[in-house]
Amino acid sequence: MKKKILFSLRSPYREQLDVVGYSFGHGEKSLAIVGAMRGNEVQQMYVCSRMVQELKKLESEGRIADDKSILVVPCVNYYSMNIGKRFWAMDNTDINRMFPGFDQGETTQRIADGVFQKLQGYEYGIQLASFYQPGNFLPHVKIMDTGFTDPDIMKDFGLEFGIIRKPRPYDTTTLNYNWQVWETKAFSVYANATDEIDEHGAEEAVNAILRFMNNRGIVSVKTPPGYITDILDESVTRQVRSEHAGVFFSMTEIGRRVERGDLLGRITDPFDGELVSEIRSPVSGTVYFEYHSPLINGKTVCFKIIT
């Protein structure tokens, strides 16, 4: 294993930002794994730290294939992580909306440019992703339908679901999208939690990435058997939004099968405790996202269901 600084940025008030990567093996660039790009992506950084430990062991046992190299970048934005902010601490911009970056641009554009230069040229790329709202996801893998990749490769992760997302205009500045434009087969892996550590979700994500690496001939490793992945288009998923603001109580859990009309959650008045809304499933399917915060606004996505 080699630990190296991929990109540095001087700061007038703090020690400089050093984005660190851990490389394993030798030869062609086979796989890059990127963790936290936002300051609350603790689970994403933790999964990468677990991958560093797994790869150290595999490398010492000679189980990384010849002429294959792997790069793990646990955290790009620890400035924001240190003070508990999701986006860049100075101007509230999102590094994962700045790719491929610009070396003469604003701070987060320069960070994206410096990191992306080191991430280009890999055959596969995996980003540990999070959602823009607080909540938990059923572990799954997602790919953007840019026309540059093969969705069936998602089956090699052995997760229950592989989702194909049609990119929207704001997706064109994400790492995943630009990786694909630069001919890297890119995937987003969701490991359940975001701003807290979920050991079970992390374990499932680590095993899925190791399973993918084994199936792609990058490493030789035994993992627990995975699922026969159900590949589906994101358009078959259904968002359920809150009708009122208040105190939110989930009455279900991710991974549970629900029928149309089943009670998913309740919202009560924050001052007098009266019930103001019941949230019921509009369809039958599997809950794969659950909002996770005590307070909720009206019209907020509180559940996602795979139909």
Side-chain angles (χ1 to χ4, degrees), residues 203-261:
E203 182 78 11
E204 193 164 356
V206 167
N207 284 332
I209 296 171
L210 289 173
R211 199 177 293 120
F212 173 84
M213 295 167 71
N214 184 70
N215 288 335
R216 290 281 124 187
I218 300 171
V219 301
S220 173
V221 61
K222 288 184 178 179
T223 59
Y227 292 92
I228 298 175
T229 305
D230 187 5
I231 305 289
L232 48 90
D233 193 278
E234 193 176 45
S235 62
V236 305
T237 66
R238 182 72 175 268
Q239 294 184 348
V240 183
R241 295 178 183 271
S242 57
E243 295 183 355
H244 298 277
V247 180
F248 173 77
F249 298 92
S250 175
M251 309 299 289
T252 187
E253 58 188 29
I254 58 172
R256 175 173 290 179
R257 173 80 186 178
V258 295
E259 301 298 328
R260 182 177 180 178

Short mmCIF file of all heavy atoms in Angstrom, two decimals, residues 203-261:
data_model
loop_
_atom_site.label_atom_id
_atom_site.label_comp_id
_atom_site.label_asym_id
_atom_site.label_seq_id
_atom_site.Cartn_x
_atom_site.Cartn_y
_atom_site.Cartn_z
N GLU A 203 -21.01 -3.22 6.12
CA GLU A 203 -20.57 -4.59 5.83
C GLU A 203 -21.11 -5.03 4.46
O GLU A 203 -20.40 -5.64 3.66
CB GLU A 203 -21.07 -5.53 6.93
CG GLU A 203 -20.66 -6.99 6.76
CD GLU A 203 -19.22 -7.23 7.18
OE1 GLU A 203 -18.63 -6.31 7.78
OE2 GLU A 203 -18.71 -8.33 6.89
N GLU A 204 -22.39 -4.72 4.21
CA GLU A 204 -22.99 -5.12 2.94
C GLU A 204 -22.32 -4.40 1.77
O GLU A 204 -22.08 -4.98 0.70
CB GLU A 204 -24.49 -4.82 2.96
CG GLU A 204 -25.24 -5.49 1.83
CD GLU A 204 -26.74 -5.53 2.05
OE1 GLU A 204 -27.21 -5.11 3.12
OE2 GLU A 204 -27.44 -5.99 1.14
N ALA A 205 -21.99 -3.11 1.95
CA ALA A 205 -21.33 -2.36 0.87
C ALA A 205 -19.92 -2.87 0.61
O ALA A 205 -19.51 -3.04 -0.54
CB ALA A 205 -21.28 -0.87 1.23
N VAL A 206 -19.17 -3.16 1.68
CA VAL A 206 -17.80 -3.68 1.52
C VAL A 206 -17.83 -5.02 0.79
O VAL A 206 -17.07 -5.27 -0.15
CB VAL A 206 -17.11 -3.80 2.89
CG1 VAL A 206 -15.82 -4.63 2.78
CG2 VAL A 206 -16.81 -2.42 3.46
N ASN A 207 -18.74 -5.91 1.20
CA ASN A 207 -18.84 -7.21 0.53
C ASN A 207 -19.25 -7.06 -0.93
O ASN A 207 -18.76 -7.80 -1.80
CB ASN A 207 -19.84 -8.11 1.26
CG ASN A 207 -19.28 -8.68 2.54
OD1 ASN A 207 -18.06 -8.87 2.66
ND2 ASN A 207 -20.13 -8.93 3.51
N ALA A 208 -20.12 -6.10 -1.22
CA ALA A 208 -20.56 -5.88 -2.60
C ALA A 208 -19.39 -5.40 -3.47
O ALA A 208 -19.21 -5.87 -4.60
CB ALA A 208 -21.69 -4.86 -2.64
N ILE A 209 -18.57 -4.49 -2.94
CA ILE A 209 -17.43 -3.99 -3.72
C ILE A 209 -16.39 -5.09 -3.91
O ILE A 209 -15.83 -5.26 -5.00
CB ILE A 209 -16.83 -2.74 -3.04
CG1 ILE A 209 -17.84 -1.59 -3.04
CG2 ILE A 209 -15.55 -2.31 -3.75
CD1 ILE A 209 -17.42 -0.39 -2.20
N LEU A 210 -16.13 -5.88 -2.85
CA LEU A 210 -15.19 -7.00 -2.99
C LEU A 210 -15.71 -8.03 -3.99
O LEU A 210 -14.95 -8.58 -4.80
CB LEU A 210 -14.97 -7.67 -1.62
CG LEU A 210 -14.17 -6.85 -0.60
CD1 LEU A 210 -14.19 -7.55 0.75
CD2 LEU A 210 -12.73 -6.64 -1.07
N ARG A 211 -17.02 -8.27 -3.95
CA ARG A 211 -17.63 -9.23 -4.90
C ARG A 211 -17.45 -8.72 -6.33
O ARG A 211 -17.11 -9.49 -7.24
CB ARG A 211 -19.11 -9.37 -4.56
CG ARG A 211 -19.79 -10.61 -5.10
CD ARG A 211 -21.23 -10.66 -4.63
NE ARG A 211 -21.36 -10.86 -3.21
CZ ARG A 211 -21.97 -10.03 -2.37
NH1 ARG A 211 -22.52 -8.91 -2.82
NH2 ARG A 211 -22.05 -10.27 -1.08
N PHE A 212 -17.67 -7.42 -6.53
CA PHE A 212 -17.49 -6.82 -7.85
C PHE A 212 -16.03 -6.98 -8.31
O PHE A 212 -15.77 -7.36 -9.46
CB PHE A 212 -17.85 -5.33 -7.78
CG PHE A 212 -17.55 -4.55 -9.02
CD1 PHE A 212 -18.46 -4.52 -10.07
CD2 PHE A 212 -16.36 -3.84 -9.15
CE1 PHE A 212 -18.17 -3.80 -11.24
CE2 PHE A 212 -16.07 -3.12 -10.30
CZ PHE A 212 -16.99 -3.10 -11.35
N MET A 213 -15.10 -6.69 -7.41
CA MET A 213 -13.68 -6.78 -7.78
C MET A 213 -13.29 -8.21 -8.12
O MET A 213 -12.51 -8.46 -9.03
CB MET A 213 -12.82 -6.25 -6.63
CG MET A 213 -13.03 -4.76 -6.37
SD MET A 213 -12.31 -4.20 -4.81
CE MET A 213 -10.58 -4.31 -5.19
N ASN A 214 -13.84 -9.17 -7.36
CA ASN A 214 -13.54 -10.58 -7.64
C ASN A 214 -14.12 -11.00 -9.00
O ASN A 214 -13.45 -11.64 -9.81
CB ASN A 214 -14.12 -11.45 -6.53
CG ASN A 214 -13.76 -12.91 -6.69
OD1 ASN A 214 -12.61 -13.30 -6.52
ND2 ASN A 214 -14.75 -13.74 -7.02
N ASN A 215 -15.37 -10.61 -9.25
CA ASN A 215 -16.03 -10.98 -10.51
C ASN A 215 -15.38 -10.31 -11.73
O ASN A 215 -15.46 -10.82 -12.84
CB ASN A 215 -17.51 -10.60 -10.46
CG ASN A 215 -18.29 -11.50 -9.53
OD1 ASN A 215 -17.90 -12.63 -9.28
ND2 ASN A 215 -19.40 -11.00 -9.00
N ARG A 216 -14.75 -9.17 -11.50
CA ARG A 216 -14.08 -8.46 -12.60
C ARG A 216 -12.60 -8.84 -12.73
O ARG A 216 -11.87 -8.25 -13.53
CB ARG A 216 -14.19 -6.95 -12.36
CG ARG A 216 -15.59 -6.39 -12.54
CD ARG A 216 -15.93 -6.20 -14.01
NE ARG A 216 -17.14 -6.90 -14.39
CZ ARG A 216 -17.57 -7.01 -15.64
NH1 ARG A 216 -16.89 -6.45 -16.62
NH2 ARG A 216 -18.65 -7.69 -15.93
N GLY A 217 -12.14 -9.79 -11.93
CA GLY A 217 -10.77 -10.28 -12.04
C GLY A 217 -9.72 -9.34 -11.50
O GLY A 217 -8.54 -9.43 -11.86
N ILE A 218 -10.12 -8.43 -10.58
CA ILE A 218 -9.16 -7.49 -10.01
C ILE A 218 -8.49 -8.07 -8.76
O ILE A 218 -7.31 -7.87 -8.52
CB ILE A 218 -9.87 -6.15 -9.68
CG1 ILE A 218 -10.48 -5.56 -10.96
CG2 ILE A 218 -8.90 -5.16 -9.05
CD1 ILE A 218 -11.38 -4.36 -10.72
N VAL A 219 -9.28 -8.79 -7.97
CA VAL A 219 -8.74 -9.48 -6.79
C VAL A 219 -9.31 -10.89 -6.77
O VAL A 219 -10.27 -11.20 -7.49
CB VAL A 219 -9.11 -8.74 -5.48
CG1 VAL A 219 -8.59 -7.32 -5.46
CG2 VAL A 219 -10.61 -8.77 -5.24
N SER A 220 -8.71 -11.71 -5.90
CA SER A 220 -9.25 -13.05 -5.66
C SER A 220 -9.67 -13.12 -4.20
O SER A 220 -8.83 -13.06 -3.30
CB SER A 220 -8.17 -14.10 -5.96
OG SER A 220 -8.64 -15.39 -5.59
N VAL A 221 -10.97 -13.19 -3.96
CA VAL A 221 -11.45 -13.17 -2.59
C VAL A 221 -12.80 -13.87 -2.51
O VAL A 221 -13.59 -13.85 -3.47
CB VAL A 221 -11.59 -11.69 -2.10
CG1 VAL A 221 -12.58 -10.91 -2.93
CG2 VAL A 221 -11.95 -11.62 -0.63
N LYS A 222 -13.04 -14.52 -1.38
CA LYS A 222 -14.34 -15.14 -1.14
C LYS A 222 -15.21 -14.19 -0.33
O LYS A 222 -14.77 -13.60 0.66
CB LYS A 222 -14.17 -16.46 -0.38
CG LYS A 222 -13.57 -17.57 -1.23
CD LYS A 222 -13.53 -18.88 -0.45
CE LYS A 222 -12.98 -20.01 -1.32
NZ LYS A 222 -12.91 -21.30 -0.58
N THR A 223 -16.45 -14.05 -0.75
CA THR A 223 -17.40 -13.19 -0.04
C THR A 223 -18.69 -13.97 0.21
O THR A 223 -18.95 -14.97 -0.47
CB THR A 223 -17.74 -11.93 -0.86
OG1 THR A 223 -18.31 -12.34 -2.11
CG2 THR A 223 -16.51 -11.07 -1.11
N PRO A 224 -19.52 -13.51 1.13
CA PRO A 224 -20.83 -14.15 1.30
C PRO A 224 -21.62 -14.06 0.00
O PRO A 224 -21.46 -13.10 -0.77
CB PRO A 224 -21.49 -13.31 2.40
CG PRO A 224 -20.37 -12.64 3.11
CD PRO A 224 -19.29 -12.42 2.09
N PRO A 225 -22.46 -15.04 -0.29
CA PRO A 225 -23.24 -15.00 -1.54
C PRO A 225 -24.13 -13.77 -1.59
O PRO A 225 -24.69 -13.35 -0.57
CB PRO A 225 -24.07 -16.29 -1.49
CG PRO A 225 -24.07 -16.71 -0.06
CD PRO A 225 -22.80 -16.23 0.53
N GLY A 226 -24.23 -13.18 -2.77
CA GLY A 226 -25.07 -11.99 -2.93
C GLY A 226 -26.43 -12.33 -3.50
O GLY A 226 -26.82 -13.49 -3.61
N TYR A 227 -27.16 -11.28 -3.87
CA TYR A 227 -28.47 -11.43 -4.49
C TYR A 227 -28.32 -11.63 -6.00
O TYR A 227 -27.28 -11.30 -6.59
CB TYR A 227 -29.30 -10.16 -4.28
CG TYR A 227 -29.72 -9.89 -2.86
CD1 TYR A 227 -28.93 -9.12 -2.02
CD2 TYR A 227 -30.91 -10.40 -2.37
CE1 TYR A 227 -29.32 -8.85 -0.71
CE2 TYR A 227 -31.32 -10.14 -1.07
CZ TYR A 227 -30.51 -9.37 -0.24
OH TYR A 227 -30.90 -9.11 1.04
N ILE A 228 -29.35 -12.16 -6.61
CA ILE A 228 -29.48 -12.05 -8.07
C ILE A 228 -30.10 -10.68 -8.31
O ILE A 228 -31.27 -10.45 -8.05
CB ILE A 228 -30.38 -13.17 -8.63
CG1 ILE A 228 -29.73 -14.53 -8.34
CG2 ILE A 228 -30.58 -12.98 -10.14
CD1 ILE A 228 -30.62 -15.71 -8.74
N THR A 229 -29.26 -9.74 -8.77
CA THR A 229 -29.66 -8.33 -8.80
C THR A 229 -30.81 -8.08 -9.76
O THR A 229 -30.80 -8.53 -10.91
CB THR A 229 -28.46 -7.46 -9.20
OG1 THR A 229 -27.38 -7.72 -8.32
CG2 THR A 229 -28.80 -5.98 -9.13
N ASP A 230 -31.81 -7.37 -9.25
CA ASP A 230 -32.94 -6.95 -10.07
C ASP A 230 -32.59 -5.59 -10.70
O ASP A 230 -32.50 -4.59 -10.00
CB ASP A 230 -34.19 -6.84 -9.19
CG ASP A 230 -35.45 -6.58 -9.99
OD1 ASP A 230 -35.37 -6.57 -11.23
OD2 ASP A 230 -36.51 -6.39 -9.36
N ILE A 231 -32.34 -5.56 -12.01
CA ILE A 231 -31.99 -4.32 -12.71
C ILE A 231 -33.29 -3.63 -13.14
O ILE A 231 -34.12 -4.23 -13.82
CB ILE A 231 -31.13 -4.60 -13.96
CG1 ILE A 231 -29.88 -5.41 -13.60
CG2 ILE A 231 -30.76 -3.30 -14.66
CD1 ILE A 231 -28.85 -4.66 -12.83
N LEU A 232 -33.45 -2.40 -12.73
CA LEU A 232 -34.69 -1.69 -13.08
C LEU A 232 -34.41 -0.21 -13.33
O LEU A 232 -33.41 0.33 -12.88
CB LEU A 232 -35.73 -1.88 -11.98
CG LEU A 232 -35.29 -1.63 -10.54
CD1 LEU A 232 -35.51 -0.18 -10.17
CD2 LEU A 232 -36.06 -2.54 -9.60
N ASP A 233 -35.34 0.39 -14.08
CA ASP A 233 -35.23 1.82 -14.37
C ASP A 233 -35.78 2.63 -13.20
O ASP A 233 -36.77 2.23 -12.57
CB ASP A 233 -36.01 2.13 -15.65
CG ASP A 233 -35.70 3.51 -16.18
OD1 ASP A 233 -36.30 4.48 -15.67
OD2 ASP A 233 -34.86 3.61 -17.09
N GLU A 234 -35.15 3.76 -12.93
CA GLU A 234 -35.59 4.58 -11.80
C GLU A 234 -37.04 5.04 -11.96
O GLU A 234 -37.71 5.37 -10.98
CB GLU A 234 -34.67 5.79 -11.64
CG GLU A 234 -34.84 6.53 -10.33
CD GLU A 234 -33.84 7.66 -10.16
OE1 GLU A 234 -33.64 8.42 -11.14
OE2 GLU A 234 -33.26 7.79 -9.09
N SER A 235 -37.54 5.05 -13.19
CA SER A 235 -38.91 5.51 -13.42
C SER A 235 -39.95 4.59 -12.78
O SER A 235 -41.10 4.99 -12.60
CB SER A 235 -39.18 5.63 -14.93
OG SER A 235 -39.04 4.37 -15.55
N VAL A 236 -39.56 3.35 -12.43
CA VAL A 236 -40.51 2.44 -11.79
C VAL A 236 -40.54 2.63 -10.28
O VAL A 236 -41.27 1.95 -9.57
CB VAL A 236 -40.23 0.96 -12.13
CG1 VAL A 236 -40.19 0.75 -13.62
CG2 VAL A 236 -38.95 0.47 -11.47
N THR A 237 -39.71 3.52 -9.76
CA THR A 237 -39.76 3.82 -8.33
C THR A 237 -40.74 4.96 -8.08
O THR A 237 -40.99 5.78 -8.97
CB THR A 237 -38.37 4.22 -7.78
OG1 THR A 237 -37.96 5.46 -8.36
CG2 THR A 237 -37.34 3.15 -8.11
N ARG A 238 -41.31 5.00 -6.91
CA ARG A 238 -42.34 5.99 -6.60
C ARG A 238 -41.94 6.78 -5.35
O ARG A 238 -41.60 6.18 -4.32
CB ARG A 238 -43.66 5.26 -6.37
CG ARG A 238 -44.85 6.16 -6.09
CD ARG A 238 -45.31 6.90 -7.33
NE ARG A 238 -46.52 7.66 -7.07
CZ ARG A 238 -47.75 7.19 -7.28
NH1 ARG A 238 -47.92 5.97 -7.78
NH2 ARG A 238 -48.81 7.94 -7.03
N GLN A 239 -41.95 8.10 -5.47
CA GLN A 239 -41.67 8.95 -4.31
C GLN A 239 -42.97 9.23 -3.55
O GLN A 239 -44.01 9.46 -4.16
CB GLN A 239 -41.06 10.28 -4.75
CG GLN A 239 -39.68 10.16 -5.37
CD GLN A 239 -39.07 11.53 -5.69
OE1 GLN A 239 -39.75 12.55 -5.66
NE2 GLN A 239 -37.79 11.54 -6.00
N VAL A 240 -42.88 9.20 -2.23
CA VAL A 240 -44.03 9.54 -1.39
C VAL A 240 -43.65 10.80 -0.60
O VAL A 240 -42.63 10.82 0.10
CB VAL A 240 -44.36 8.39 -0.41
CG1 VAL A 240 -45.60 8.75 0.40
CG2 VAL A 240 -44.56 7.09 -1.18
N ARG A 241 -44.46 11.85 -0.74
CA ARG A 241 -44.15 13.13 -0.09
C ARG A 241 -45.09 13.40 1.08
O ARG A 241 -46.25 12.94 1.09
CB ARG A 241 -44.27 14.28 -1.11
CG ARG A 241 -43.24 14.20 -2.23
CD ARG A 241 -43.43 15.33 -3.24
NE ARG A 241 -42.50 15.23 -4.35
CZ ARG A 241 -41.28 15.78 -4.36
NH1 ARG A 241 -40.90 16.50 -3.32
NH2 ARG A 241 -40.49 15.64 -5.40
N SER A 242 -44.59 14.16 2.04
CA SER A 242 -45.42 14.55 3.19
C SER A 242 -46.44 15.60 2.75
O SER A 242 -46.14 16.46 1.91
CB SER A 242 -44.53 15.12 4.29
OG SER A 242 -43.78 16.23 3.79
N GLU A 243 -47.62 15.55 3.34
CA GLU A 243 -48.65 16.54 3.03
C GLU A 243 -48.60 17.72 3.99
O GLU A 243 -49.12 18.79 3.69
CB GLU A 243 -50.03 15.89 3.06
CG GLU A 243 -50.22 14.84 1.96
CD GLU A 243 -51.62 14.26 1.99
OE1 GLU A 243 -52.39 14.60 2.91
OE2 GLU A 243 -51.93 13.46 1.08
N HIS A 244 -47.98 17.51 5.16
CA HIS A 244 -47.93 18.58 6.17
C HIS A 244 -46.55 18.59 6.81
O HIS A 244 -45.82 17.60 6.77
CB HIS A 244 -48.99 18.35 7.26
CG HIS A 244 -50.39 18.38 6.74
ND1 HIS A 244 -51.09 19.54 6.54
CD2 HIS A 244 -51.22 17.38 6.34
CE1 HIS A 244 -52.28 19.27 6.06
NE2 HIS A 244 -52.39 17.95 5.93
N ALA A 245 -46.24 19.71 7.44
CA ALA A 245 -45.02 19.81 8.25
C ALA A 245 -45.34 19.37 9.67
O ALA A 245 -46.50 19.37 10.10
CB ALA A 245 -44.50 21.24 8.24
N GLY A 246 -44.32 18.99 10.43
CA GLY A 246 -44.53 18.61 11.83
C GLY A 246 -43.47 17.65 12.32
O GLY A 246 -42.36 17.57 11.78
N VAL A 247 -43.84 16.88 13.36
CA VAL A 247 -42.95 15.86 13.90
C VAL A 247 -43.22 14.56 13.16
O VAL A 247 -44.36 14.11 13.08
CB VAL A 247 -43.17 15.67 15.42
CG1 VAL A 247 -42.23 14.60 15.96
CG2 VAL A 247 -42.94 17.00 16.16
N PHE A 248 -42.13 13.97 12.61
CA PHE A 248 -42.28 12.82 11.71
C PHE A 248 -41.99 11.52 12.45
O PHE A 248 -40.99 11.41 13.17
CB PHE A 248 -41.31 13.00 10.53
CG PHE A 248 -41.25 11.81 9.61
CD1 PHE A 248 -42.26 11.57 8.70
CD2 PHE A 248 -40.17 10.93 9.67
CE1 PHE A 248 -42.19 10.48 7.85
CE2 PHE A 248 -40.09 9.84 8.82
CZ PHE A 248 -41.11 9.60 7.92
N PHE A 249 -42.87 10.54 12.24
CA PHE A 249 -42.67 9.19 12.80
C PHE A 249 -42.80 8.18 11.66
O PHE A 249 -43.86 8.10 11.01
CB PHE A 249 -43.71 8.87 13.87
CG PHE A 249 -43.67 9.78 15.06
CD1 PHE A 249 -44.46 10.93 15.09
CD2 PHE A 249 -42.84 9.49 16.13
CE1 PHE A 249 -44.42 11.78 16.19
CE2 PHE A 249 -42.81 10.34 17.24
CZ PHE A 249 -43.58 11.49 17.26
N SER A 250 -41.74 7.44 11.41
CA SER A 250 -41.83 6.36 10.42
C SER A 250 -42.48 5.14 11.05
O SER A 250 -42.18 4.78 12.19
CB SER A 250 -40.43 6.00 9.90
OG SER A 250 -40.51 4.88 9.03
N MET A 251 -43.37 4.50 10.31
CA MET A 251 -44.06 3.31 10.81
C MET A 251 -43.64 2.06 10.03
O MET A 251 -44.30 1.03 10.11
CB MET A 251 -45.58 3.50 10.70
CG MET A 251 -46.09 4.79 11.31
SD MET A 251 -45.74 4.93 13.08
CE MET A 251 -46.86 3.69 13.72
N THR A 252 -42.58 2.20 9.23
CA THR A 252 -42.11 1.05 8.45
C THR A 252 -40.59 1.05 8.50
O THR A 252 -39.98 1.75 9.31
CB THR A 252 -42.64 1.13 7.00
OG1 THR A 252 -42.29 -0.08 6.31
CG2 THR A 252 -42.07 2.33 6.26
N GLU A 253 -39.95 0.29 7.66
CA GLU A 253 -38.49 0.26 7.61
C GLU A 253 -38.06 -0.11 6.20
O GLU A 253 -38.82 -0.72 5.44
CB GLU A 253 -37.93 -0.74 8.61
CG GLU A 253 -38.42 -2.15 8.40
CD GLU A 253 -38.00 -3.09 9.53
OE1 GLU A 253 -37.83 -2.60 10.66
OE2 GLU A 253 -37.85 -4.28 9.26
N ILE A 254 -36.83 0.27 5.86
CA ILE A 254 -36.35 -0.01 4.51
C ILE A 254 -36.24 -1.53 4.31
O ILE A 254 -35.93 -2.28 5.23
CB ILE A 254 -35.00 0.68 4.23
CG1 ILE A 254 -33.95 0.25 5.24
CG2 ILE A 254 -35.16 2.17 4.17
CD1 ILE A 254 -32.56 0.75 4.89
N GLY A 255 -36.52 -1.94 3.08
CA GLY A 255 -36.47 -3.36 2.75
C GLY A 255 -37.80 -4.08 2.95
O GLY A 255 -37.95 -5.22 2.53
N ARG A 256 -38.76 -3.40 3.61
CA ARG A 256 -40.05 -4.06 3.89
C ARG A 256 -40.96 -3.99 2.66
O ARG A 256 -41.04 -2.98 1.99
CB ARG A 256 -40.74 -3.41 5.07
CG ARG A 256 -42.13 -3.97 5.35
CD ARG A 256 -42.71 -3.43 6.62
NE ARG A 256 -42.00 -3.96 7.79
CZ ARG A 256 -42.30 -3.64 9.04
NH1 ARG A 256 -43.28 -2.79 9.28
NH2 ARG A 256 -41.62 -4.15 10.04
N ARG A 257 -41.67 -5.07 2.41
CA ARG A 257 -42.68 -5.12 1.36
C ARG A 257 -43.98 -4.51 1.91
O ARG A 257 -44.43 -4.87 3.00
CB ARG A 257 -42.92 -6.57 0.93
CG ARG A 257 -44.06 -6.78 -0.03
CD ARG A 257 -43.69 -6.44 -1.43
NE ARG A 257 -44.87 -6.53 -2.32
CZ ARG A 257 -44.84 -6.25 -3.60
NH1 ARG A 257 -43.72 -5.87 -4.16
NH2 ARG A 257 -45.93 -6.34 -4.34
N VAL A 258 -44.54 -3.55 1.17
CA VAL A 258 -45.79 -2.91 1.61
C VAL A 258 -46.82 -3.03 0.50
O VAL A 258 -46.49 -3.19 -0.69
CB VAL A 258 -45.58 -1.41 1.95
CG1 VAL A 258 -44.65 -1.26 3.14
CG2 VAL A 258 -45.03 -0.64 0.75
N GLU A 259 -48.09 -2.97 0.91
CA GLU A 259 -49.19 -2.99 -0.05
C GLU A 259 -49.80 -1.60 -0.16
O GLU A 259 -49.66 -0.77 0.75
CB GLU A 259 -50.25 -4.00 0.39
CG GLU A 259 -49.74 -5.42 0.53
CD GLU A 259 -49.22 -6.00 -0.78
OE1 GLU A 259 -49.76 -5.63 -1.85
OE2 GLU A 259 -48.26 -6.79 -0.73
N ARG A 260 -50.46 -1.34 -1.24
CA ARG A 260 -51.13 -0.05 -1.43
C ARG A 260 -52.10 0.23 -0.27
O ARG A 260 -52.90 -0.63 0.07
CB ARG A 260 -51.89 -0.04 -2.76
CG ARG A 260 -52.57 1.28 -3.05
CD ARG A 260 -53.24 1.24 -4.39
NE ARG A 260 -53.90 2.51 -4.67
CZ ARG A 260 -54.55 2.78 -5.81
NH1 ARG A 260 -54.62 1.86 -6.75
NH2 ARG A 260 -55.09 3.96 -5.98
N GLY A 261 -51.98 1.41 0.31
CA GLY A 261 -52.84 1.78 1.43
C GLY A 261 -52.23 1.51 2.80
O GLY A 261 -52.77 1.97 3.82
#
